[in-house]
Structure formats: C-alpha cells, structure tokens
C-alpha cells in the first residue's frame, strides 16, 4: 500500500515522540513492502513563532492533500501562563479538527497485565479493563459562540449540537461495539442540559438499528465515579466534546501513565492520529518522554487503512517492550535510564526481528527517561 502521511510534531516533546512513531512506521513499511512517505509541517507554538499563526495555510494544505496525519503535541508555557493571549497554540488544533471535519475522537484505554501495579487504582479493580471512548470532536461548548461583557465581568460559552452531529458519531460507536462486547454507554447530563436531552433522544433512536448492542446511560458525574470504582463495566463510551475530554483524561490513570494512551480523530475524508498527552515542555530535549502513546497512535493509523497484521505486530512490539521494562520510568519497574529514542529503537528492532531467538533482551544496553 502507498500512503502519504503528514507529520505535525508540534511543540515540547512532540517532535521526540513523533520521531519514534515515524521510525516504527518505516520499519513496518519495509517489512510488509509498503510505500509510506512523510511530509513534515509546523503547528502550534512553533508555528506562531515561525509563521505568526498556530495553523499556517501551508500546513493545512499539506494535511488536506495527504492520506493521514501523525500529530505530536502542542502548547508552551508562555501561552499557558498568559490567559489574555489572543493567539494560542491550541487554536491550531481546534481549527485543524474543524477544517478537516474530524468529528470523532477514538481513545482506547487498556490495562496492560505487566503494568497493573503501576496504576494508582487497585489491581483487582482495573485488571481486564478494555474501553474505547468515542468523543464528539467538532461541536459543543468548545466551538460554540463565546461572549465577554464590555466590562470583562461576565462571560458565556454556548453549547450547541445538531441531530446530524450526534447521529454520525453514534453510528461509529455502535458499529465499534458490534465488534467488541456489544455495549454502548452514553455519558451525558440529561437531567440538567437540553443539549444532553437531545443526545439521549437521538442515540436511543439509533440504538434500534443495532439490536445486538446494549445501550445504557450515565450522567457524567456518576460516570466519572464509576470509571474509578469499576472501569471493567465499560465497553464503548459515547459522549459529547467536553465530557469526553474530561472522562478520557481520567481514564488515563487506569493504565498507569498518560504516556500510554493513543487516539484517532476521524472524519468523512480525513484522519489524524495523536497521543493524548500534552507537550510536557519541562522534558523537552531530555530524552525522558514516553513514546508509546505516539507509537500506538501509529498502530491506529495502520488499522484505519485495514493493515491489521501490521498494526498487530506494532502492538506486539509495544507489549514486549513493556514486559521487558524497555520503557521510560513512568512505567518502568527495573531501569531508570531508558531514553525515548531507546524505546523506539527496541520497537524498531522487534519489528524487524519478532521471532529472533538469539536476541538476549535482558542484557540490552539501555538509555535515560521519565514521566509524562
């Protein structure tokens, strides 16, 4: 298969972790005789510094002309610490989602057997957890009309949803559930919000088209509690933009590190793949960032194009690295000197030699790293 992939490393640790994902994809292409080409472009704070815009027109044009986007991270303290800034790195990501019509964000949450002790939650609570969160991405309060009074003392953000916006992501969630454990949980606030009541009506109607999928409902506050008390009860979670942002970040603690969580943002024509962690500027250039989430995002990219064997090999390489503690200290139980690049090198080597019995994995020389 031939794929043209736009690479948007972004800010902070974005370039470091994205480099490892590209390295893994190149190894997959070589092993499976695919032709993957990569075009790099600026986004976020680096784009503001270089082009005076968080999403330059040239970057958007590249994204529109390629088959998929591999995204790093955006954000910088000089904007985080200045709430009055008119131009912000995050505006580039929001505009990119809107311009490309990336209406569905998919975030897998899995408790790896070898990392159960790394979670702040008890082992018996999280063991066996395997959730897929479907978050609506281009509507709701993040994109609604925003107002600030002339005296700066009153502000409002409008949360708006249409039936069409709800229907298109609901169908994706139900189809995913058909291939998983046949359960969809809609997370809303229908006891208070009119927009949530619309979500509940529309999703209930759509559920009739998927008779083999069970549908249940949780208010977002209860869902947040249940995510900690009993995460195994969930299969596919379907929710609106802001609730999905919060719930998926909460779910990240289940696996022990936010550095493990990948995501896909898909639309009718375009798709983008990115780790859910931020730019972690304090770690920039230190080789301490966990690249696993970015590498697993590359696996989701492969699955998007139905390259299932390729994605499975990449995930197998990740699981092997975690099992052998060839990972950064946020999840490492033995070593404190494994670098971001060293993790990528191991995964690359494993792709080339998945059945090599001569590799003495326990004696591999290791580098240096830390937590995201």
């Amino acid at each position: 298969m031939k794929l043209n992939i736009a690479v948007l490393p972004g800010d902070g640790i974005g370039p470091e972790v994205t480099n490892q994902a590209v390295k893994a994809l190149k190894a997959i292409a070589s092993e499976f005789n695919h032709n993957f080409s990569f075009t790099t472009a600026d986004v976020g704070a680096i784009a503001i510094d270089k082009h005076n815009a968080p999403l330059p027109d040239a970057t958007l044009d590249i994204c529109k002309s390629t088959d998929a986007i591999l995204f790093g991270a955006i954000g910088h303290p000089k904007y985080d610490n200045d709430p009055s800034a008119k131009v912000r790195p995050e505006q580039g990501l929001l505009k990119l989602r809107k311009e490309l019509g990336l209406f569905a964000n998919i975030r897998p949450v899995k408790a790896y057997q070898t990392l159960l002790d790394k979670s702040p939650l008890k082992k018996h609570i999280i063991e066996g957890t395997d959730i897929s969160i479907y978050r609506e991405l281009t509507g709701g309060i993040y994109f609604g009309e925003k107002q600030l009074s002339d005296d700066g003392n009153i502000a409002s953000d409008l949360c708006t949803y249409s039936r069409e916006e709800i229907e298109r992501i609901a169908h994706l969630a139900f189809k995913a559930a058909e291939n998983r454990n046949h359960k969809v949980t809609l997370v809303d606030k229908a006891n208070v919000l009119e927009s949530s009541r619309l979500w509940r009506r529309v999703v209930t109607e759509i559920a009739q088209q998927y008779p083999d999928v069970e549908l249940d409902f949780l208010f977002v506050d209860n869902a947040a509690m249940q995510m900690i008390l009993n995460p195994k009860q969930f299969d596919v979670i379907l929710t609106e933009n802001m609730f999905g942002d919060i719930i998926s970040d909460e779910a990240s603690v289940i696996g022990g590190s936010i550095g493990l969580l990948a995501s896909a943002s898909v639309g009718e024509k375009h798709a983008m793949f990115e780790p859910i962690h931020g730019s972690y500027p304090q770690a920039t250039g230190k080789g301490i960032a966990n690249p696993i989430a970015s590498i697993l995002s590359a696996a989701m990219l492969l699955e998007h194009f139905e390259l299932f064997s390729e994605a499975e090999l990449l995930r197998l390489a990740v699981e092997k690295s975690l099992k052998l503690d060839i990972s950064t200290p946020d999840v490492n139980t033995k070593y404190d000197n494994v670098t971001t690049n060293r993790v990528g090198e191991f995964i690359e080597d494993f792709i080339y030699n998945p059945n090599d019995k001569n590799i003495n994995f326990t004696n591999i020389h290791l580098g240096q790293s830390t937590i995201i």
Side-chain angles (χ1 to χ4, degrees), residues 316 350-359:
L316 184 62
F350 187 90
I351 291 169
Y352 285 126
N353 304 284
N355 300 309
D356 192 339
K357 306 299 184 184
N358 296 320
I359 295 179

Side-chain angles (χ1 to χ4, degrees), residues 312-327:
E312 179 62 23
L313 177 57
L314 189 46
R315 288 199 171 95
L316 184 62
V318 166
E319 293 190 11
K320 190 71 171 182
S321 72
L322 294 174
K323 182 178 180 180
L324 297 174
D325 290 298
I326 302 173
S327 52

Side-chain angles (χ1 to χ4, degrees), residues 100-118:
L100 299 182
L102 305 177
F103 64 85
N105 182 247
I106 307 162
R107 296 188 177 185
V109 178
K110 181 178 179 179
Y112 289 95
Q113 190 67 31
T114 56
L115 299 179
L116 295 179
D117 293 335
K118 285 297 179 181

Side-chain angles (χ1 to χ4, degrees), residues 107 135 142 220 224 241-251:
R107 296 188 177 185
R135 166 193 170 192
Y142 290 173
V220 64
N241 203 344
M242 184 170 68
F243 296 161
D245 191 1
I246 297 167
I247 286 290
S248 59
D249 277 7
E250 182 193 18

Side-chain angles (χ1 to χ4, degrees), residues 55 74 89-100 135 137-138 142-143 146 241:
L55 180 66
I74 57 171
E90 294 78 10
Q91 292 170 345
L93 181 56
L94 293 176
K95 182 178 179 181
L96 188 61
R97 291 170 178 169
K98 200 72 173 180
E99 289 285 337
L100 299 182
R135 166 193 170 192
L137 204 57
T138 57
Y142 290 173
F143 290 92
K146 305 178 189 312
N241 203 344

Side-chain angles (χ1 to χ4, degrees), residues 13-24:
I13 63 169
E16 298 170 59
V17 298
T18 304
N19 283 344
Q20 308 313 313
V22 171
K23 186 184 297 180

Side-chain angles (χ1 to χ4, degrees), residues 163-296:
R163 170 178 288 270
E164 179 185 6
E165 288 174 315
I166 299 167
E167 286 178 340
R168 61 188 183 181
I169 189 171
H171 280 295
L172 292 182
F174 278 100
K175 289 174 182 176
E178 286 184 318
N179 294 315
R180 290 173 50 89
N181 292 318
H182 301 272
K183 181 180 178 181
V184 170
T185 300
L186 175 65
V187 172
D188 61 25
K189 194 63 176 172
N191 57 334
V192 176
L193 301 178
E194 194 63 48
S195 57
S196 283
R197 288 190 275 272
L198 177 63
W199 268 85
R200 202 169 274 215
R201 289 197 302 272
V202 173
V203 172
T204 300
E205 292 172 10
I206 290 175
Q208 305 307 309
Q209 302 177 38
Y210 302 89
D212 60 337
V213 177
E214 174 191 355
L215 172 64
D216 68 350
F217 308 94
L218 283 178
F219 296 143
V220 64
D221 44 355
N222 187 22
M225 181 174 64
Q226 293 299 322
M227 186 69 72
I228 301 302
L229 293 176
N230 181 22
K232 289 193 290 287
Q233 69 181 281
F234 297 110
D235 179 25
V236 174
I237 292 176
L238 170 63
T239 191
E240 59 102 71
N241 203 344
M242 184 170 68
F243 296 161
D245 191 1
I246 297 167
I247 286 290
S248 59
D249 277 7
E250 182 193 18
S252 71
V253 306
I254 292 172
S257 171
I258 198 171
L260 300 174
L261 293 192
S263 78
S265 300
V266 301
E268 299 292 342
K269 297 181 180 179
H270 302 282
M272 182 168 70
F273 304 86
E274 59 178 310
I276 78 163
H277 60 68
S279 60
Y280 191 20
Q282 303 91 330
T284 303
K286 297 180 180 179
I288 62 176
N290 192 332
I292 295 299
S294 187
I295 292 169
L296 288 175

